[in-house]
Amino acid sequence: MTRYRRGLVVGKFCPLHRGHMFLIERALQACDEVLVISYTKPGFARCATDTRDGWLAGLFPGVRRLVVDDAWLGAALSCGEITHPVALPHNDAPAAVHREFCAWLCRTFGGGPVDAVFTSEEYGDGFAAVLSADFSAWSGRAHRVEHVCVDLARGAVPVSGTAVRSDPAAWREFLDPLVYADLVDRVCILGGESSGKTTLVEALAAALGTVAVPEVGRTRGEEKGGHFVYADMRAIAEDQVALEIALAQHTPGPLICDGSALTTVFYSEDGYGRVDPLVERLGRRRYSHTFVCAPDFPFVQDGTRRDAAFRQRQHDWYLATLAHRGVDYTILHGPVHERVRQALLVLRRAAQPTPCTESHRSPAPVPAKTGAGSGNTRTAPESADTSPASR
């Protein structure tokens, strides 16, 4: 195998699948140093710039990463790393524009010229030629970049980003668990004490044949006999999110979450009059769908709960906070089987290619897709990844 000093891999990584990983691993085997570039305009849902950067950092800590978007370039201009504005090329821009942009990134932020570019595409020879010409002109001496073509026929890893995006669960064998966890729909069930929340979580997960995430605060409360201190709030919020991430790596369908860090925000405010900044940030974690259980049946005291008035106050707080944060939600009413029916209706309608017509949404700074039923359904804003991609 020919040995290179510096290699380059450019890809969309929307999402990062085992085909991309195979390509990067081949580059690592052949090079002393590997530079990985990723960018896109426009982007793809669940593949945000920081998400892709996290995948690369977690799976390939030894590579040099440039995961770039317009905000990143704007920050570079503001701090003087570049002297004039540079815009990210649109995905549909001519190939020459993308190739020249990648050469500029290599020279400006990537540590200089590379000696080889690794792709799984027929365009690789032309890409290498543009890089060679650019680096030669920049350095004032001949610099040859070789194209290393890896698995052009996709025989080793028969997968594409388009296929994975269409149905991540069906293609999960081609995804590292770290990546798959970020592609899973997360459904959050909120509700005041004695509102049937936990019962609904278990019933909905069973109906969907998927995984339920238990409420960490409830478990921790049982362990501590209900005696919390302020520091427990941060630990509970962190552990709740960590448990979601861990279980999302193995769920066959949407993850059904018994509360969220927002629950911890409420109890921290109510019990201590303050909220740790990290708890507040984790409480803003977005979910594919948020359901709120209505307090519409008699309050049941289990020895740990307060009373019906507290339940109503907690319910009202959730609705006000979700509305203030621009989070769409659906209120579920009635007995458990009816709530499951309502939730399934919302989830199935949201999965359809066209939006439903009947909904009411929370006022929000982010565009929302029309939901169904008695509440609201929000889809996360799409985000990025489409450079001269290698799969």
Side-chain angles (χ1 to χ4, degrees), residues 24-381:
I24 295 172
E25 286 161 359
R26 287 292 298 271
L28 285 168
Q29 292 169 6
C31 303
D32 297 331
E33 181 184 10
V34 174
L35 170 64
V36 177
I37 293 176
S38 177
Y39 67 91
T40 186
K41 187 178 183 177
F44 296 88
R46 299 186 180 90
C47 299
T49 302
D50 58 350
T51 302
R52 300 193 326 275
D53 189 59
W55 294 336
L56 290 170
L59 297 174
F60 298 102
V63 306
R64 184 168 187 161
R65 310 183 311 276
L66 286 179
V67 186
V68 182
D69 58 18
D70 278 322
W72 190 94
L73 292 169
L77 178 64
S78 298
C79 68
E81 290 184 276
I82 55 178
T83 58
H84 61 281
V86 177
L88 206 68
H90 193 279
N91 296 344
D92 294 333
V97 173
H98 285 284
R99 295 168 182 177
E100 291 164 3
F101 179 70
C102 288
W104 176 79
L105 285 175
C106 289
R107 290 188 282 100
T108 308
F109 300 104
V114 299
D115 307 302
V117 58
F118 292 74
T119 84
S120 298
E121 307 291 347
E122 293 181 348
Y123 64 59
D125 288 342
F127 190 10
V130 170
L131 294 175
S132 298
D134 182 281
F135 297 152
S136 296
W138 176 75
S139 65
R141 61 179 183 273
H143 185 101
R144 182 172 183 271
V145 177
E146 185 171 333
H147 173 223
V148 181
C149 188
V150 179
D151 192 27
L152 179 62
R154 305 294 199 275
V157 191
V159 64
S160 72
T162 301
V164 173
R165 288 193 299 273
S166 69
D167 190 349
W171 291 87
R172 61 182 299 186
E173 67 180 290
F174 292 96
L175 297 168
D176 186 271
L178 178 70
V179 177
Y180 181 70
D182 285 325
L183 303 181
V184 169
D185 280 335
R186 299 191 313 274
V187 177
C188 181
I189 311 294
L190 297 172
E193 296 180 350
S194 187
S195 63
K197 173 173 62 69
T198 299
T199 302
L200 174 62
V201 167
E202 295 169 352
L204 184 57
L208 292 168
T210 187
V211 173
V213 181
E215 183 181 1
V216 171
R218 175 191 294 268
T219 304
R220 199 63 48 81
E222 293 171 353
E223 294 170 352
K224 297 173 69 70
H227 301 296
F228 290 110
V229 296
Y230 176 67
D232 291 326
M233 300 296 102
R234 175 166 176 157
I236 289 170
E238 288 182 308
D239 289 351
Q240 186 73 52
V241 172
L243 185 59
E244 283 184 16
I245 293 171
L247 293 178
Q249 297 181 23
H250 308 289
T251 182
L255 199 66
I256 311 302
C257 304
D258 190 346
S260 70
L262 185 63
T263 304
T264 313
V265 172
F266 170 80
Y267 281 105
S268 187
E269 280 187 6
D270 182 76
Y272 305 98
R274 55 189 173 133
V275 181
D276 183 286
L278 178 61
V279 175
E280 174 65 30
R281 180 171 65 81
L282 294 176
R284 294 181 179 274
R285 182 172 162 84
R286 292 280 179 163
Y287 294 81
S288 305
H289 306 278
T290 298
F291 295 101
V292 182
C293 295
D296 57 2
F297 50 78
F299 184 87
V300 177
Q301 179 56 259
D302 65 357
T304 65
R305 297 164 176 162
R306 300 198 200 178
D307 53 34
F310 179 82
R311 177 180 68 171
Q312 185 63 50
R313 180 160 63 85
Q314 189 174 10
H315 176 78
D316 294 341
W317 184 91
Y318 280 134
L319 300 191
T321 301
L322 292 172
H324 178 72
R325 296 184 178 187
V327 178
D328 289 352
Y329 59 87
T330 301
I331 301 176
L332 301 177
H333 300 271
V336 173
H337 71 273
E338 177 60 21
R339 294 182 179 194
V340 170
R341 186 195 68 79
Q342 294 169 24
L344 290 175
L345 180 63
V346 171
L347 295 176
R348 287 166 180 162
R349 286 182 175 176
Q352 293 175 356
T354 54
C356 307
T357 56
E358 181 182 349
S359 74
H360 51 91
R361 309 187 204 102
S362 302
V366 182
K369 186 174 76 174
T370 308
S374 58
N376 317 296
T377 304
R378 172 169 299 282
T379 55

